[in-house]
Amino acid sequence: MQLIDGHWQLAGHDVEDLADQHGTPLYLYDEQTIRRQVKRFRDAFSAFDHRIHYAMKANSNRDVLSLMKKLDLGIDAVSIHEIRLALEIGFDSHEILFTPNGVPFDELEQAIELGVRLNIENLSYLDKLGEAYQGDVPCTLRVHPGLVMPGSPRDATGWYQRSRFGIGGDQISEALRLIELHQIRVEGLHVHSSSMILDEQVFGAAAAVLLDLARKLPSVRAIDLGGGIRPPYRAEDDHPDLDALALSLTKPLEQFENETGRSLQLWFEPGRYLVAESGTLLTRVHVIKQLGDRIIAGVDTGFHQLLRPKLYDAWHEIRNISNPEGSQHLIDISGCLCEEDDLALQRSLPEVREGHLLAILNAGAYGYSMASTYNSRPLPAEVVL
Ligand code: LLP
């Protein structure tokens, strides 16, 4: 978003005009930002034979998905509904990797029928898959992040250990037994380390563990390092350098190739890195009230449309579109739901008055896709610019 002659502009459009045209609340996505992020990702890993499966849970807007298809990305899906949507958009079933957990096995069977690839994260599914298909259906195996990062400083907080996803270290031998028993063809190994990767050695460490396991499974032809790369949500945020992440992969991969003569493809499934910065949620201020020493701006969105501040204390930058050059005031921004619904507290913004338009930035990932109709409010409109 750029301030040009006192007016905020987004992708060449006047932001006030967009709100007038489409109403508020309104999700806007800037296509060029998505293209830029896809290019950055590709460039960083260009030294490797790699494939990107976009994690569509981050943003499953149809136009965004069509763009990802145009950019030749595959899909990381987590439900049969995501799979159906991706197929409708035109993704080939082989470009879709399905990572289910807790869903009935029937959902996996439907995915198999549609020709989608499966990523298996527990022994129960692995056994059922083997029994039902006797090795006719290949899969990838998802391992627990604790297996990958046992020595991480974050162990102290149990971050990696607490994850409930993936096959744990103490279950690998049982997994290998089931694979052998049912003659299951394991084509890939997968880990999703966390959803806010900051440590640039994570990918290298993950690759080393997956490659160790790949030595025992000659059918493996890809390792999948998941998503979780965090773009900067605000300027001073710590965020990993993609080149450093890529560099951490060189040694373990070279070592594997030299030892085994096998060269594996690298798969990634970024969500937020590709779409977070593209998204802006526009909202109108309808009430200004004072309560003690707090000044509160009441806006026409809330955690039904952007849950991240409420759920994770996530910080999203906010701009006052209507008064870009006003004097700075501290203000709380609260949503319109029937309960505590703070979107931001004690923000310094150019003076906010009733009728002003606010923009909540970096809302392109897990914004609309986590929205609900709480308080019977309809979902907001979305526009791709
Ligand atoms: N792959 C797997 C297996 C995942 O579970 C996820 C995210 C991704 C890829 C994509 O991760 P990303 O690159 O977007 O970080 N609602 C939360 C995030 C939950 C993510 C769950 N899994 C948020 O608003 O931050």
Side-chain angles (χ1 to χ4, degrees), residues 55 57 76 142 192 195 227-228 269-272 308 312 366 370:
K57 72 200 87 176
D76 158 37
R142 178 177 186 176
H192 173 65
S195 245
E269 24 189 63
R272 82 185 67 235
R308 306 191 71 256
Y312 313 114
Y366 307 106
M370 289 175 80

Side-chain angles (χ1 to χ4, degrees), residues 221-254:
R221 53 181 194 79
I223 57 168
D224 184 337
L225 298 166
I229 299 175
R230 173 195 166 124
Y233 278 90
R234 51 179 159 175
E236 67 269 35
D237 265 356
D238 219 6
H239 57 277
D241 171 13
L242 245 50
D243 293 333
L245 272 169
L247 198 64
S248 77
L249 288 167
T250 311
K251 219 165 117 190
L253 279 167
E254 269 178 13

Side-chain angles (χ1 to χ4, degrees), residues 7 9 28 39 46 57 74 109 123 131 147 179 188 193 215 231 233 237 248 254 269 284 316 341 351 357-358 382:
H7 294 270
Q9 306 240 325
L28 298 169
K39 182 171 179 333
S46 58
K57 72 200 87 176
E109 290 178 319
L123 296 181
E131 281 202 344
L147 192 71
I179 291 163
S193 310
R215 288 180 170 90
Y233 278 90
D237 265 356
S248 77
E254 269 178 13
E269 24 189 63
R284 188 74 70 184
H316 286 263
D341 186 12
E351 190 187 359
L357 185 66
L358 304 185
E382 298 177 285

